[in-house]
Amino acid sequence: MRSLSPSGFAYADRTVLFVQTWQNWRAESGTGLAYFAGPPAAGTRITTASGDFGHPQREVGDGWWGVE
């Protein structure tokens, strides 16, 4: 999965797979796509870059969500 991300930033745990799609040049903010095994709870936080957290914003289908 890391090869799908322009920065090489991707991670997985038991319930979510996150693939970064954008990061600013200082690696302090980013966005991406996350696959959730179940619907994300309100307030779910995803690390999107070294200094940033994002939240699932919109479902894009089949368990994938846009994270900003």
Side-chain angles (χ1 to χ4, degrees):
M1 296 306 283
R2 289 185 190 279
S3 64
L4 298 175
S5 173
S7 67
F9 186 84
Y11 78 86
D13 67 19
R14 295 180 320 128
T15 60
V16 64
L17 167 70
F18 175 75
V19 178
Q20 187 183 63
T21 57
W22 177 84
Q23 171 180 279
N24 75 344
W25 67 277
R26 292 179 294 211
E28 61 189 13
S29 71
T31 61
L33 293 170
Y35 175 80
F36 290 88
T44 298
R45 236 168 66 155
I46 303 291
T47 303
T48 58
S50 298
D52 190 34
F53 293 99
H55 303 279
Q57 297 293 317
R58 62 194 154 278
E59 187 174 11
V60 294
D62 294 327
W64 288 93
W65 287 73
V67 177
E68 296 178 7

